[in-house]
Amino acid sequence: MSQSHKVTTVADSINAIKCKLANGQPVLGIWSIIPSPMVVEILSLSGFDFAILDMEHGVFDLTSLDACIRAVEVAGKAPLVRIPGINPSAAQWALDLGAHGIVVPQVRDAKDAAAVVDIAKFSPTGQRGYNPFTRAANYANPVNNRSGKLNNEFSLTCVIVESERALADLDAICLTQSIDVIYMGIYDLAVALGVNGDTRHPLVVEVVERSIPRIRAAGKAAGMMVRNSSEITLALSLGANFLVYGVDSFLIRDAAS
């Protein structure tokens, strides 16, 4: 096939989220726990930059994960996958299916952050298994892993800070190479800090307000949940640039109510 008639495929795409962040633009996404391609496509078409398909609290199996990754891409947005902890198999599944990155919960310290990189990246950066016959490779057996979604620089790697132990090691986590985003998990923090899940408690607010500038100063994108326009304004003023607006299940119920 001549170059002029080359078929453009998903692996030829750039990671729009990483590009926007690199260019100083904030990005806005949504959590998805409903394993429905139709729901996630509708929400992606509403204007969000990305959807995080949640394998930790959602009910995705590999078939629904595959379908929802495709649905987000059909809508022109970036599918990310929250895997259930530092799980090499889940990271492999998500990235081989063509996800634009992984979000990893329960990262306790810099050692855990390094382990996340290890499962997210190919050698020499990490130990991710390489298979050139997957969707991420367009099922095409390319000659190398230096282009498209197979390139180590393509996927976005995000870790979630959601415990007192992680807060204590935040500066070291921020120094971890190949971590793109550090996300403040306010719901787990609101439990870990002893305020019974109250995410608006002054203690939680103070922790977030102190942490976001430190994350940005270290050269990482900083993530947090936002639930209304005033919280978006506050998050941006703190320097947060990876914003997640609610969860699909709640937004549907809230709209219906």
Side-chain angles (χ1 to χ4, degrees), residues 38-76:
M38 183 179 291
V39 169
V40 78
E41 183 180 9
I42 290 168
L43 291 171
S44 297
L45 286 168
S46 68
F48 292 107
D49 295 299
F50 61 90
I52 304 174
L53 310 174
D54 193 348
M55 294 183 75
E56 182 187 27
H57 296 293
V59 289
F60 287 89
D61 59 17
L62 292 187
T63 299
S64 58
L65 185 68
D66 181 21
C68 288
I69 286 172
R70 295 168 188 271
V72 177
E73 287 192 322
V74 164

Side-chain angles (χ1 to χ4, degrees), residues 147-213:
S147 63
K149 290 182 177 180
L150 293 181
N151 191 300
N152 262 346
E153 297 304 313
F154 176 84
S155 65
L156 178 140
T157 306
C158 171
V159 299
I160 303 181
V161 169
E162 48 194 340
S163 67
E164 288 188 286
R165 179 173 170 181
L167 288 173
D169 208 35
L170 179 60
D171 290 331
I173 293 172
C174 288
L175 294 176
T176 306
Q177 295 294 316
S178 298
I179 295 293
D180 301 298
V181 182
I182 298 174
Y183 183 89
M184 300 300 296
I186 59 172
Y187 287 94
D188 278 287
L189 282 171
V191 174
L193 295 173
V195 295
N196 302 318
D198 179 4
T199 60
R200 292 183 170 87
H201 190 280
L203 184 59
V204 178
V205 173
E206 179 188 5
V207 163
V208 172
E209 290 182 348
R210 283 192 288 107
S211 299
I212 295 294

Side-chain angles (χ1 to χ4, degrees), residues 79-184:
L80 306 176
V81 177
R82 171 155 68 175
I83 63 175
I86 304 172
N87 185 317
S89 294
Q92 190 80 62
W93 298 331
L95 295 172
D96 280 355
L97 286 172
H100 292 204
I102 58 172
V103 179
V104 185
Q106 301 297 337
V107 170
R108 301 164 298 178
D109 50 32
K111 182 179 179 180
D112 277 356
V116 170
V117 174
D118 205 46
I119 67 175
K121 304 295 182 181
F122 297 118
S123 179
T125 306
Q127 297 296 321
R128 176 186 167 193
Y130 176 59
N131 186 317
F133 306 101
T134 63
R135 180 172 185 266
N138 290 317
Y139 318 105
N141 191 20
V143 295
N144 59 48
N145 65 333
R146 300 301 177 91
S147 63
K149 290 182 177 180
L150 293 181
N151 191 300
N152 262 346
E153 297 304 313
F154 176 84
S155 65
L156 178 140
T157 306
C158 171
V159 299
I160 303 181
V161 169
E162 48 194 340
S163 67
E164 288 188 286
R165 179 173 170 181
L167 288 173
D169 208 35
L170 179 60
D171 290 331
I173 293 172
C174 288
L175 294 176
T176 306
Q177 295 294 316
S178 298
I179 295 293
D180 301 298
V181 182
I182 298 174
Y183 183 89
M184 300 300 296

